[in-house]
C-alpha cells in the first residue's frame, strides 16, 4: 500500500530510536516515539468516523503532539488544516465552515467558544492543550502504537492552508502530497541537509515556513530539531551551540543582531541560516555577515507554491535578491495587463509553474481561474525582475498586502471592520516600516461629516473581530482620503506621509 508523503517523511523512520525533537526542557522525542504518537492519533480519528479526504481543522499551540497530528492526518489520508493560534472565534468560524471540517481540534481554553460553531456545522470537537493533554491525547493513550497507513495517491490533497485575499475573504489553498514532497526533496538537495543536521525550530507550525519547509525537510533527511514553542531570544541563544541550522523570518535576524550575546563564537557551529516569508533588508544581510561571518541564505515562497526561488548554497548569496528559480520551477516576469513576458531585466509580475504549485482554492473556481492560468502558471501578485546573472529581485507587490513579522495581513479585511463602525465614513489601511516587524499596520479613518468618533470603541471592535497581529498600531483621523482622478484611494501617498511613524530610534 502506498502513501507517498507518509512513506517518505514518516514511514522510513519506523523502528528508529534516533532523536527527532529536542525539547527546551531537555526531553527528547525519538523518531519511533513520534511515529507511535501519530499512529495513536490516527486511530482516534478513524474511530470517531473520519474518512480519507475529510478535513481536520486544528488551532493548537506548538507541541510535539500538535506536530504528530499533522503526521496522523497524512497517515489516515485526512486533509490537515492548521490555523494560526491568534485567530479570533469570528475568523475561525469562517475557516471551519468554508472547509467543511469534520473535526476541530482546539485548546481546551477555546472549546467553549467553538462548541456552538462545531455543533452548528455537525463537526466533532476535541481538545489538545499546549502541554499535550486534552481529550484527543486522552483517547490516543489507549490506542495501538501502529496504524495501517491509508493508501493515497501523490495527487491526493494533504493540506489546506487559508490565505487572505484582496477582497477580504480568505481562500483555502489546496496542497497535494506531491506539492509538499517534491518541494521538500528539492530543498534538501539545494540546501545540503543531512541526518547530521540539527535545526533550531522557533517558527509557528501553522504556516508553510515552519510546517512544510522546516519540518518536512528535517523529516526527509532524518535529522533533528530543537523544537521551541515560539521565538524566544534567550532560548535561541542557549541552544544555538548545539544546532547546525536555523530558518526564520527577518525579525528573527534583526532581533538576534540586537543582542550582544549573539557573537561569531556563538554561531561557529552553525552551517546555515535561512531567511524568508518577508523581505530581508540588504543592511541586515551585511550586518549579519560582519557579526558572524555567515551569509544568510534568502529564499522566496508562498502558501500556494511552497518555495519558488533560493539563493545558492555554494555560489554567491546576494543581498536584496531571492536567488534563482529552484530546479523544476519555471519563473517568468510578465506584463500585468496582458500576461505577456516582459523584456529581460524589466519589472513585471512574477509567475511560477512547477510541481510545487497548488491545485487551486477550495470551492472557489473563479478565484482559482483568476490566479492560476490554464497552462499551470500561478500569478503570485509579487512584482520583480531578473538581473543579467539570473538572480530574481522582488521589488514590490501587485496585491494590497502588508507583511508584519512574516504574517500576511490583507488591508481589505481590516477596512471592512473599520467601515462597519458607527460614525465611520470610510477607511484605508496601510503598511508602514517598522524596526522589529519590517512593516506594521496603520489605519486611516474618515468620520462621517459632523460625527466625533470613539476610537476606543473602534479598537475594541477590531479586537473582537481580528487576530492581534492584524490590529492597527494606531488609528489616524483625516477629513478625506487622497484620491486620483478615477476616484481610487492613493495609498502610496498615505504610505509616504506616514512612513517615519514607527522608524527606529
Ligand atoms: C506577534 N505580534 C505581532 C506579530 N507577532 N504583531 C504583528 N506582527 C507579528 N508578526 C503581537 C503579539 O501578539 C504581541 O501583542 C505583540 O505583537 C508583541 O509580541 P512579541 O512578543 O514581540 O512577538 P512574538 O511573540 O515574539 O512574535 C513575533 C514573531 C512571530 C516575529 C517571532 O510573529 C513569528 O514567529 N512570526 C513568524 C511568522 C511565520 O511563520 N510566517 C511564515 C508564513 S509562510 P500584545 O498585545 O501581547 O503586545 C510564508 C511563505 C514563505 O509566508 O515564504 O515562508
Ligand atoms: P504567504 O501568503 O504567507 O505565503 O506569503 C507569501 C508572500 O510573502 C509572497 O507572495 C511574498 O510577497 C512574500 N515573501 C516570501 N518570501 C519573501 C522574500 N524572501 N522576500 C520578499 N517577499 C517574500
Amino acid at each position: 500500500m502506498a502513501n507517498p508523503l507518509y512513506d517518505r517523511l514518516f514511514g522510513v523512520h519506523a523502528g528508529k530510536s534516533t532523536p527527532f525533537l529536542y525539547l527546551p526542557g531537555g526531553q527528547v522525542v525519538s523518531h519511533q516515539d513520534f511515529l507511535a504518537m501519530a499512529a495513536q492519533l490516527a486511530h482516534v480519528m478513524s474511530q470517531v468516523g473520519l474518512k480519507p479526504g475529510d478535513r481536520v481543522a486544528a488551532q493548537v499551540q506548538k507541541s510535539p503532539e500538535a506536530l504528530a497530528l499533522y503526521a496522523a492526518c497524512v497517515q489516515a489520508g485526512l486533509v490537515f488544516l492548521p490555523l494560526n493560534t491568534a485567530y479570533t472565534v469570528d475568523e475561525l468560524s469562517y475557516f471551519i465552515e468554508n472547509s467543511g471540517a469534520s473535526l476541530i481540534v482546539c485548546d481546551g481554553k477555546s472549546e467553549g467558544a467553538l462548541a456552538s460553531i462545531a455543533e452548528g456545522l455537525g463537526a466533532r470537537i476535541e481538545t489538545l492543550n499546549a502541554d499535550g493533554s486534552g481529550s484527543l491525547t486522552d483517547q490516543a493513550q489507549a490506542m495501538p502504537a501502529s496504524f495501517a497507513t491509508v493508501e493515497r495517491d501523490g495527487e491526493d490533497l494533504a493540506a489546506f492552508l487559508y490565505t487572505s485575499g484582496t477582497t477580504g475573504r480568505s481562500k483555502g489553498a489546496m496542497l497535494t502530497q506531491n506539492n509538499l514532497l517534491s518541494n521538500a526533496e528539492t530543498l534538501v538537495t539545494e540546501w545540503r541537509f543531512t541526518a547530521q543536521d540539527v535545526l533550531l525550530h522557533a517558527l509557528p507550525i501553522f504556516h508553510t515556513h515552519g510546517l512544510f519547509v522546516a519540518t518536512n525537510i528535517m523529516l526527509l533527511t532524518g535529522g533533528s530539531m530543537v523544537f521551541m514553542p515560539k521565538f524566544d531570544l534567550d532560548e535561541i541563544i542557549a541552544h544555538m551551540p548545539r544546532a547546525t541550522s536555523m530558518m526564520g523570518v527577518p525579525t528573527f535576524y534583526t532581533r538576534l543582531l540586537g543582542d550582544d550575546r549573539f557573537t561569531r563564537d556563538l554561531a561557529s557551529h552553525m552551517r546555515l541560516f535561512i531567511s524568508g516569508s518577508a523581505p530581508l533588508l540588504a543592511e541586515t544581510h551585511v550586518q549579519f555577515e560582519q557579526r558572524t561571518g555567515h551569509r544568510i541564505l534568502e529564499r522566496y515562497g508562498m502558501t500556494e507554491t511552497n518555495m519558488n526561488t533560493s539563493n545558492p548554497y555554494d555560489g554567491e548569496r546576494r543581498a536584496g535578491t531571492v536567488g534563482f528559480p529552484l530546479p523544476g520551477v519555471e519563473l517568468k516576469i510578465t506584463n500585468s495587463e496582458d500576461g505577456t513576458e516582459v523584456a529581460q531585466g524589466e519589472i513585471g509580475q512574477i509567475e511560477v509553474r512547477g510541481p510545487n504549485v497548488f491545485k487551486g482554492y477550495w470551492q472557489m473556481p473563479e478565484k482559482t481561474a483568476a490566479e492560476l492560468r490554464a497552462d499551470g502558471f500561478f500569478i503570485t501578485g509579487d512584482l520583480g525582475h531578473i538581473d543579467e546573472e539570473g538572480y530574481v529581485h522582488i521589488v514590490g507587490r501587485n496585491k494590497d498586502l502588508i507583511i508584519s513579522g512574516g504574517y500576511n495581513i490583507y488591508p481589505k479585511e481590516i477596512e471592512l471592520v473599520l467601515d462597519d463602525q458607527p460614525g465611520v465614513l470610510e477607511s484605508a489601511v496601510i503598511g508602514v516600516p517598522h524596526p522589529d516587524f519590517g512593516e506594521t499596520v496603520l489605519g486611516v479613518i474618515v468620520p462621517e461629516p459632523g460625527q466625533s468618533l470613539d476610537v476606543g470603541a473602534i479598537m475594541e471592535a477590531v479586537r473582537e473581530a481580528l487576530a492581534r497581529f492584524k490590529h492597527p498600531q494606531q488609528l489616524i483621523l483625516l477629513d478625506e482620503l487622497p484620491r486620483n482622478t478615477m476616484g481610487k484611494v492613493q495609498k502610496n501617498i498615505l504610505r509616504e506621509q506616514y512612513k517615519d511613524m514607527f522608524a527606529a530610534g
Side-chain angles (χ1 to χ4, degrees), residues 345-414:
E346 273 182 28
I347 293 174
Q349 59 182 6
I350 300 177
E351 298 193 25
V352 292
R353 176 164 74 180
N356 53 318
V357 173
F358 77 137
K359 283 292 158 289
Y361 298 113
W362 170 249
Q363 292 182 338
M364 290 186 180
E366 298 86 21
K367 287 196 190 292
T368 303
E371 293 177 42
L372 188 57
R373 296 186 192 278
D375 64 4
F377 271 98
F378 175 64
I379 306 165
T380 61
D382 291 308
L383 297 173
H385 66 93
I386 305 177
D387 68 22
E388 278 172 359
E389 288 160 88
Y391 285 86
V392 177
H393 299 238
I394 298 178
V395 298
R397 299 171 200 138
N398 214 5
K399 49 192 172 190
D400 193 10
L401 165 70
I402 300 167
I403 306 185
S404 166
Y407 286 144
N408 283 13
I409 301 163
Y410 281 86
K412 187 76 193 168
E413 218 184 329
I414 306 163

Side-chain angles (χ1 to χ4, degrees), residues 248-262:
V249 296
T251 302
F252 285 23
Y253 295 106
T254 48
R255 287 188 182 181
L256 276 169
L257 284 169
D259 195 302
D260 290 340
R261 294 170 297 171
F262 181 57

